[in-house]
Amino acid sequence: MTAVTAAKRPRVMSGMRPTGRLHIGHYFGVLTQWARYCRTADAYFEIADLHAYTTGFSDPQAIRDARNEMVIDWLAAGVDPGSSTFFLQSGIPEISELQVLLGMIAPVSWLERVPTYKGQIEALGQEIATYGFLGYPLLQLCDIAIFRGEEVPVGRDQAAHLEFGREVVRRFNYLYGGGEQILVEPKTMILEEAAEVPGTDGRKMSKSYNNAILLADDEATTTEKVRSMVTDPKKIRRNDPGNPEVCSVFALWKLVEPQHVAPVDRDCRSGVLGCVQDKGDLAEALNAYLKPIRERRALYAADTAQVERIIAEGTQRAREVARQTMINVRRAMRLL
Ligand code: TRP
């Protein structure tokens, strides 16, 4: 296949809120995929700082501090800003302008129906029931639509946001497009792996459960956390036969060293392998796996100026695309 017949790379758009350091669940579930999209797509990765304010508005400094740390984790994981675009949401005021305009045609009832709205208020309290938080999925649509994003890789919990977004795009094109697709309907690409990384307590790995192994953790901390992991609760003594299917340590073996899965499976079931030994082995393998990632992390952490330059350059590039889309939107809405 020649370059001429090669298909155009799809525009991929995704983002993360800067709310804290990233863990190996983010790494295996999301960042490895982002790194792959750098090679196969025209990818845009957003630091969704405005979205972080929807729940974190009372601590703006925490959001500011998390911004660089998060990008350092992206870089450490091998997401390549040389073949993708990293950008800062608040650095592109056109996104907020688009949100005002699309807000005119986005029914409140559609927003109230998005399950995360009621769910998060139940989890976090009535304080977050703001106008901005209700508009979270609309702002997310604006992130995507302003770059004409075609494919959006996200966790399953985001599917309802994208579904809402597609309906708003259809409504916009119907009202103002005159037969033209001014805005693009984004496709949801569910990252199945994102659900599968267990934390030390066996629940999904998450900062809020306090069960996460961070990319920024050192080796001793990692070993300590692996030692605290839950295994098969029915395997009490070393020689008891165990069931790897219910064991968090086993789930991590699948991600860290797939060639080790068969022997661990066999020796756990037969009772030859005890949990203490298994955890020690995994801690060693995990630390070896994370070593180059952590070394890259340390290099970028020592060079904040370079990290900020990467964000600034990407934001400038992204803003050019956003400006173009807004010209089309304003024209369609008779605002030129
Ligand atoms: N809401 C997403 C999350 O919490 C983050 C996000 C913000 C996003 N804007 C986006 C994801 C645009 C995909 C596309 O995971």
Side-chain angles (χ1 to χ4, degrees), residues 13-17 46 48 51 136 140 143-144 152 154 158:
M13 196 273 149
S14 196
M16 270 188 208
R17 286 169 298 149
E46 177 185 82
H51 275 116
Y136 187 117
Q140 185 165 354
D143 297 337
I144 301 161
V152 183
V154 283
Q158 300 292 307

Side-chain angles (χ1 to χ4, degrees), residues 31-104:
L31 295 176
T32 53
Q33 301 301 311
W34 282 20
R36 202 170 47 81
Y37 280 120
C38 291
R39 299 188 291 273
T40 60
D42 176 18
Y44 281 67
F45 300 120
E46 177 185 82
I47 306 159
D49 59 341
L50 297 178
H51 275 116
Y53 279 83
T54 60
T55 53
F57 55 83
S58 62
D59 193 356
Q61 191 60 44
I63 298 171
R64 182 65 187 83
D65 293 341
R67 177 203 294 178
N68 285 4
E69 290 299 321
M70 183 173 78
V71 171
I72 290 168
D73 283 329
W74 293 0
L75 293 163
V79 188
D80 175 13
S83 50
S84 66
T85 300
F86 291 12
F87 70 96
L88 180 66
Q89 186 179 33
S90 65
I92 304 193
E94 288 78 8
I95 293 174
S96 298
E97 184 189 356
L98 182 59
Q99 193 189 11
V100 169
L101 296 181
L102 294 188
M104 305 309 168

Side-chain angles (χ1 to χ4, degrees), residues 15-258:
M16 270 188 208
R17 286 169 298 149
T19 54
R21 297 200 163 172
L22 303 188
H23 50 66
I24 62 170
H26 295 113
Y27 175 80
F28 289 112
V30 182
L31 295 176
T32 53
Q33 301 301 311
W34 282 20
R36 202 170 47 81
Y37 280 120
C38 291
R39 299 188 291 273
T40 60
D42 176 18
Y44 281 67
F45 300 120
E46 177 185 82
I47 306 159
D49 59 341
L50 297 178
H51 275 116
Y53 279 83
T54 60
T55 53
F57 55 83
S58 62
D59 193 356
Q61 191 60 44
I63 298 171
R64 182 65 187 83
D65 293 341
R67 177 203 294 178
N68 285 4
E69 290 299 321
M70 183 173 78
V71 171
I72 290 168
D73 283 329
W74 293 0
L75 293 163
V79 188
D80 175 13
S83 50
S84 66
T85 300
F86 291 12
F87 70 96
L88 180 66
Q89 186 179 33
S90 65
I92 304 193
E94 288 78 8
I95 293 174
S96 298
E97 184 189 356
L98 182 59
Q99 193 189 11
V100 169
L101 296 181
L102 294 188
M104 305 309 168
I105 64 164
V108 171
S109 63
W110 292 7
L111 284 163
E112 285 173 334
R113 225 186 291 136
V114 174
T116 40
Y117 179 66
K118 281 202 181 70
Q120 286 289 87
I121 290 171
E122 270 164 32
L124 300 175
Q126 202 56 41
E127 308 87 79
I128 65 156
T130 61
Y131 172 65
F133 185 63
L134 178 65
Y136 187 117
L138 182 64
L139 179 58
Q140 185 165 354
L141 167 66
C142 293
D143 297 337
I144 301 161
I146 208 153
F147 302 110
R148 297 186 284 279
E150 297 163 305
E151 299 180 6
V152 183
V154 283
R156 189 169 288 292
D157 59 326
Q158 300 292 307
H161 294 180
L162 275 283
E163 193 46 55
F164 160 85
R166 277 190 293 275
E167 287 186 38
V168 174
V169 167
R170 282 199 283 275
R171 187 151 205 220
F172 180 92
N173 288 335
Y174 171 76
L175 287 167
Y176 307 119
E180 239 188 287
Q181 305 288 304
I182 311 270
L183 296 180
V184 176
E185 277 185 48
K187 230 188 328 181
T188 311
M189 318 289 282
I190 300 289
L191 298 171
E192 298 294 349
E193 306 86 344
E196 284 169 21
V197 185
T200 51
D201 60 357
R203 292 187 288 175
K204 178 181 163 142
M205 189 172 285
S206 159
K207 191 185 65 154
S208 49
Y209 293 156
N210 213 0
N211 65 359
I213 296 170
L214 306 181
L215 293 179
D217 280 341
D218 61 23
E219 295 199 352
T221 306
T222 302
T223 301
E224 208 41 56
K225 287 181 177 177
V226 171
R227 283 195 202 292
S228 78
M229 286 184 82
V230 298
T231 54
D232 176 1
K234 294 205 188 101
K235 183 170 162 68
I236 296 160
R237 279 169 301 266
R238 182 188 185 289
N239 294 318
D240 290 348
N243 175 11
E245 296 313 321
V246 302
C247 175
S248 302
V249 177
F250 188 71
L252 285 190
W253 274 122
K254 292 185 191 166
L255 298 164
V256 173
E257 222 174 277

